[in-house]
Amino acid sequence: MPQTIKPLVAGNWKMNGSTAMLKEPRLLAAMMRDVKTKCDILVCPPAILTRRIKGVVKGSKIKVGGQDCHAAASGAHTGDISAEMLQDAGATYVIVGHSERRTNHKESDATVAAKAKAAHRAGLIAIICIGETLEQRKGGQTLAVLSEQLKGSIPEGSNAANTVIAYEPVWAIGTGLTASTAEVAEAHTHVRNDISKIMGEEGPKTRILYGGSVKPSNAVELMGAANVNGALVGGASLKAADFIGIIKAYM
Ligand code: PGA
């Protein structure tokens, strides 16, 4: 049942991060010592920092994840990183199908499904991202687009333990715009119904995150919408002081 789902607050650093920035997860881990939260917490830095951040947050409940993976376990794929490599570096999650990957790297639903399958193969939890563009929303296609993406992006073998869905309206990512609580509730309830068809009895137990300009000032409201089980946070995950403000929505 949705209310028994343990929420997840995940930070997506995107192409940001440096040795100097390790102070942020270190600070977050220190802040977490005094905060009792009911959610899981995840930081997804660029893969080059996975191991370093894993070390920095050691002993805290903060988990580390990747932002993308290749579908293959190894091979001649210059510049790519496999799910197995992320797992080896200490990751327990990986984001797949983020709209920036779908746009910048022309990733199809089938590609995203193959990547999610690779994550499962490596023992990682796949965070499968979906979301409509502004044009699609204006055209009244939002729910149909989400259905299509879910149908194509969730591989066989997906269950509540190895899969998280992230609904991120493309027009709300990095723009400061957020969907209204009603829009979020509508989309998330639609996703819940769809994944219950696709994943059977696992659907009602699977976490559905909202992403798109989540910040401390709107987190409580957004996280309170129907069928929202956490957040995928970009910009506001880069500073520990902001990220903890979102995590505190689940105190
Ligand atoms: P944002 O990014 O919080 O900066 O809007 C969210 C995301 O892309 O995951």
Side-chain angles (χ1 to χ4, degrees):
M1 293 306 105
Q3 61 271 27
T4 63
I5 296 176
K6 189 170 190 198
L8 169 67
V9 175
N12 173 10
W13 280 20
K14 308 192 179 183
M15 202 171 72
N16 299 291
S18 59
T19 311
M21 258 181 73
L22 293 173
K23 69 176 192 301
E24 296 298 333
R26 188 175 292 121
L27 188 58
L28 184 67
M31 288 168 155
M32 289 302 306
R33 281 201 283 273
D34 306 319
V35 181
K36 281 247 173 306
T37 54
K38 299 183 191 74
C39 61
D40 288 332
I41 297 157
L42 172 69
V43 174
C44 300
I48 200 166
L49 293 174
T50 310
R51 223 182 269 277
R52 296 291 300 275
I53 294 192
K54 184 83 181 167
V56 161
V57 301
K58 202 168 170 204
S60 79
K61 64 183 275 191
I62 303 164
K63 300 203 159 49
V64 184
Q67 298 177 9
D68 176 51
C69 66
H70 194 278
S74 63
H77 303 289
T78 303
D80 280 319
I81 289 172
S82 71
E84 280 77 1
M85 290 167 164
L86 289 169
Q87 193 277 336
D88 182 54
T92 48
Y93 287 76
V94 62
I95 299 167
V96 294
H98 189 280
S99 75
E100 286 150 17
R101 302 276 330 167
R102 289 178 184 264
T103 305
N104 300 349
H105 299 272
K106 312 260 181 300
E107 293 188 0
S108 65
D109 290 334
T111 303
V112 175
K115 290 182 173 200
K117 206 176 165 84
H120 297 161
R121 181 189 64 219
L124 301 181
I125 300 170
I127 302 178
I128 301 175
C129 302
I130 56 163
E132 83 287 359
T133 62
L134 189 57
E135 205 182 10
Q136 289 165 334
R137 177 159 284 273
K138 283 184 173 160
Q141 298 165 288
T142 299
L143 302 183
V145 167
L146 299 183
S147 286
E148 184 72 21
Q149 290 178 331
L150 289 168
K151 198 170 107 207
S153 310
I154 300 177
E156 238 176 273
S158 297
N159 57 46
N162 67 17
T163 301
V164 174
I165 306 297
Y167 167 61
E168 301 200 294
V170 177
W171 49 272
I173 295 175
T175 57
L177 301 171
T178 48
S180 69
T181 320
E183 286 169 335
V184 172
E186 183 193 36
H188 279 242
T189 301
H190 182 78
V191 171
R192 175 74 64 210
N193 290 337
D194 269 25
I195 62 173
S196 297
K197 283 179 211 143
I198 298 167
M199 296 166 66
E201 62 186 20
E202 294 297 311
K205 297 186 281 186
T206 298
R207 293 180 285 193
I208 309 173
L209 313 184
Y210 170 78
S213 300
V214 179
K215 35 186 188 271
S217 59
N218 61 22
V220 171
E221 193 183 337
L222 288 166
M223 298 306 102
N227 284 303
V228 175
N229 314 114
L232 182 52
V233 186
S237 73
L238 296 172
K239 289 260 176 261
D242 293 333
F243 199 41
I244 194 94
I246 295 167
I247 291 166
K248 280 181 176 170
Y250 287 109
M251 272 180 85

